[in-house]
Amino acid sequence: MAEITENKQPEIKSPATDILIRVAQVASSTLELREILDTIAQVVADSLNKDLCSICLTKPGEKVICIEAARGAGKESITVFCLRDEEGLIEKVFRKRQPLTIEDIRKEPDIKAILNPGKSDLLSLLAVPVVKDNLILGIITLQTKDPYIYRWDEINLLRIISHNISAAIRNAELYRSVKTQLDELKVIHEIGKAITSILNIDELL
């Protein structure tokens, strides 16, 4: 009787799959949001060979967008800063919660002013909103120094990564909330110990 052997095919991972695995590993490795965003920006910029990947978080109540992480392929981190969005352009641009692609941002001065300030050497733009419960938490962007038409697979990849960022933000918020509650309980516990161990009112106070 012939022995049946399992025909094992070599595992083939697409570049996109490899990027998503690395992003998922980063998102689950720590609860420090800034560290997660920095690493994701670097992984995306390097893997897709783009001149800039930036991750911005919005503060809707204050109409402010803060660039929290910005990395170029093979480069050091780029200065992070906050911008006013008095006209609510971010909400207008991403009202349908869909990606925005621009081959040459010089043709879109309004969008350039808010998403690409002081970076006239970066021309193309792919921006994908980071959404949680239909609320825009931020934006992840890709940019190049030359005009560039972004491919469907790049757009789809960034959409998936935006969901990872949304989950990381949610986890970081839960972590901060739990840590705050634990700190409060610790203070209450210390006060309780003091009350039960010290009988002199002046010393207790």
Side-chain angles (χ1 to χ4, degrees):
M1 182 171 160
E3 181 180 356
I4 300 176
T5 59
E6 183 180 356
N7 183 20
K8 292 186 177 180
Q9 296 294 329
E11 183 180 0
I12 300 175
K13 289 192 295 186
S14 69
T17 301
D18 185 59
I19 294 171
L20 291 175
I21 290 173
R22 292 170 65 188
V23 167
Q25 289 172 338
V26 170
S28 61
S29 65
T30 178
L31 291 171
E32 295 298 331
L33 186 58
R34 176 59 65 81
E35 182 180 344
I36 291 173
L37 299 182
D38 276 342
T39 308
I40 288 178
Q42 191 68 71
V43 166
V44 174
D46 286 342
S47 301
L48 297 180
N49 194 30
K50 294 297 184 285
D51 293 306
L52 181 67
C53 175
S54 61
I55 301 173
C56 313
L57 299 184
T58 61
K59 298 181 179 179
E62 302 174 24
K63 293 190 176 180
V64 170
I65 178 171
C66 293
I67 300 176
E68 300 287 349
R71 301 277 176 159
K75 300 176 183 177
E76 296 298 322
S77 62
I78 297 168
T79 304
V80 300
F81 52 90
C82 294
L83 298 164
R84 302 295 301 179
D85 183 22
E86 298 290 357
E87 303 300 322
L89 183 62
I90 298 300
E91 181 66 30
K92 292 176 184 176
V93 170
F94 297 104
R95 183 166 291 151
K96 295 182 179 179
R97 312 301 191 252
Q98 295 298 317
L100 170 71
T101 60
I102 299 176
E103 181 182 354
D104 189 339
I105 202 168
R106 291 174 296 188
K107 300 176 182 178
E108 303 285 347
D110 290 340
I111 293 175
K112 179 181 183 297
I114 189 68
L115 294 181
N116 199 31
K119 294 285 190 298
S120 58
D121 58 328
L122 295 170
L123 299 183
S124 79
L125 172 69
L126 166 59
V128 176
V130 177
V131 179
K132 174 191 171 189
D133 299 331
N134 208 37
L135 175 68
I136 296 178
L137 301 180
I139 308 163
I140 178 170
T141 69
L142 286 178
Q143 292 181 265
T144 62
K145 292 182 178 180
D146 298 313
Y148 179 79
I149 299 175
Y150 288 90
R151 306 188 310 270
W152 177 88
D153 61 306
E154 292 174 320
I155 297 171
N156 197 45
L157 176 64
L158 222 61
R159 292 179 75 170
I160 297 173
I161 292 173
S162 75
H163 292 303
N164 282 268
I165 295 173
S166 177
I169 293 172
R170 182 178 65 251
N171 291 338
E173 289 174 346
L174 289 173
Y175 170 70
R176 285 195 296 267
S177 176
V178 170
K179 187 176 184 302
T180 299
Q181 291 178 25
L182 288 175
D183 289 342
E184 291 173 350
L185 289 173
K186 184 178 179 181
V187 171
I188 293 172
H189 176 67
E190 293 299 324
I191 293 174
K193 284 173 59 179
I195 290 174
T196 57
S197 61
I198 299 174
L199 298 179
N200 185 287
I201 188 63
D202 293 329
E203 185 180 353
L204 174 61
L205 294 176

